[in-house]
Amino acid sequence: MTDWAAFAGIALAVLGLLLVLAHLSARGIDGPRLGPGDLRWLDALESDADHLDVSTATRPAEPPQEGYSTALLVVNVALSQGVFAFLLLGGAFLTQVPASALGLSTPALGIEALAVGALAGVALSGANTAAGLLAAYAGYDPSADLRELLTPETTRGWVLLLGVALPIVAGFEELLFRGVLIGVFAAGFGLSPWLLAVLSSVAFALGHGAQGPVGIAVTGTLGFLLAALFVLTGSLLAVVVAHYLVNALEFVGHELGLNPLAE
């Protein structure tokens, strides 16, 4: 029998810890600059590496070599969001949360969900680019430094970024903010999934408070659009794919110079 209350406690504890870490990371913006050998630089990689989803400390005065940067990124993702995802999935297993509540039932993992997620990801990426252009025209680009820092300079770096770090980021955040905070809470407690979509999007935005009011608003909007996709499809796969494409296409587009405002 599913212990909904116990799993809800686990999920809220993970969410609370994530928000605390995001807040501590945001405080680093006004703190002393970090040197390339300072492991506190891990805080600068605490959150997503995408344009809409960045919570970061001050960029090091002298960026380290690309390989070192990528290694830190992968380690940080594995130790933070990867561990959090493991806790959520382990908690779901122990409390017998059904896969369908998380959007992981067999129909929700099919080719149709994959295609819907891909189409939604491309559309959201276009909206992301438009929002970035508007912000840049206004002299506001909260992700510029982090994006420059994390953009790989080698083939191996791109493989690690696109094939390891960004999938883990997208997978964990969608598992928590959509699969758990919407799917599980709706199935276990009979709450409206649309109400939960709003509340989860607020939490999603607050986790990226370092971007300031404009960044919070944009992040919250992205979160609600992903939440709506989850409610309409019931598929965690669809929102993970969409989220991943938003992240990946920004890096690739910036590298290829597709952003007309890119330096």
Side-chain angles (χ1 to χ4, degrees), residues 92-105:
F93 175 78
L94 293 175
T95 57
Q96 301 182 48
V97 172
S100 58
L102 291 165
L104 291 173
S105 60

Side-chain angles (χ1 to χ4, degrees), residues 9-262:
I10 294 172
L12 292 176
V14 170
L15 174 63
L17 180 57
L18 185 69
L19 293 178
V20 168
L21 290 175
H23 175 70
L24 293 176
S25 182
R27 289 178 59 186
I29 291 177
D30 297 323
R33 290 187 174 272
L34 308 179
D38 194 331
L39 290 182
R40 288 177 300 158
W41 187 43
L42 289 172
D43 290 340
L45 307 177
E46 184 53 48
S47 68
D48 283 0
D50 57 46
H51 176 75
L52 295 173
D53 241 18
V54 176
S55 174
T56 176
T58 304
R59 185 186 177 197
E62 295 182 6
Q65 297 298 314
E66 189 278 335
Y68 187 57
S69 170
T70 302
L72 279 178
L73 171 63
V74 174
V75 168
N76 182 66
V77 170
L79 293 180
S80 57
Q81 300 196 8
V83 169
F84 286 156
F86 177 81
L87 290 175
L88 288 176
L89 292 174
F93 175 78
L94 293 175
T95 57
Q96 301 182 48
V97 172
S100 58
L102 291 165
L104 291 173
S105 60
T106 301
L109 299 177
I111 188 66
E112 182 178 347
L114 180 64
V116 169
L119 290 174
V122 172
L124 289 174
S125 178
N128 174 44
T129 299
L133 291 176
L134 290 174
Y137 276 124
Y140 180 86
D141 188 355
S143 67
D145 286 345
L146 184 60
R147 184 175 57 228
E148 181 182 351
L149 175 67
L150 301 183
T151 298
E153 297 179 358
T154 68
T155 300
R156 188 186 72 158
W158 278 105
V159 170
L160 290 173
L161 178 68
L162 299 177
V164 178
L166 296 187
I168 291 177
V169 166
F172 164 67
E173 292 209 336
E174 293 311 311
L175 174 65
L176 173 61
F177 289 101
R178 262 59 76 174
V180 172
L181 296 184
I182 298 176
V184 170
F185 277 62
F189 302 100
L191 300 174
S192 165
W194 290 107
L195 172 62
L196 293 170
V198 172
L199 296 178
S200 67
S201 300
V202 171
F204 187 66
L206 291 178
H208 306 88
Q211 299 181 57
V214 175
I216 290 175
V218 173
T219 301
T221 301
L222 172 66
F224 182 77
L225 292 174
L226 289 169
L229 179 63
F230 180 79
V231 172
L232 293 173
T233 64
S235 171
L236 188 66
L237 174 62
V239 290
V240 168
V241 170
H243 191 151
Y244 169 79
L245 286 176
V246 170
N247 291 2
L249 290 176
E250 173 167 3
F251 274 102
V252 173
H254 188 268
E255 179 68 11
L256 296 176
L258 299 181
N259 182 344
L261 294 182

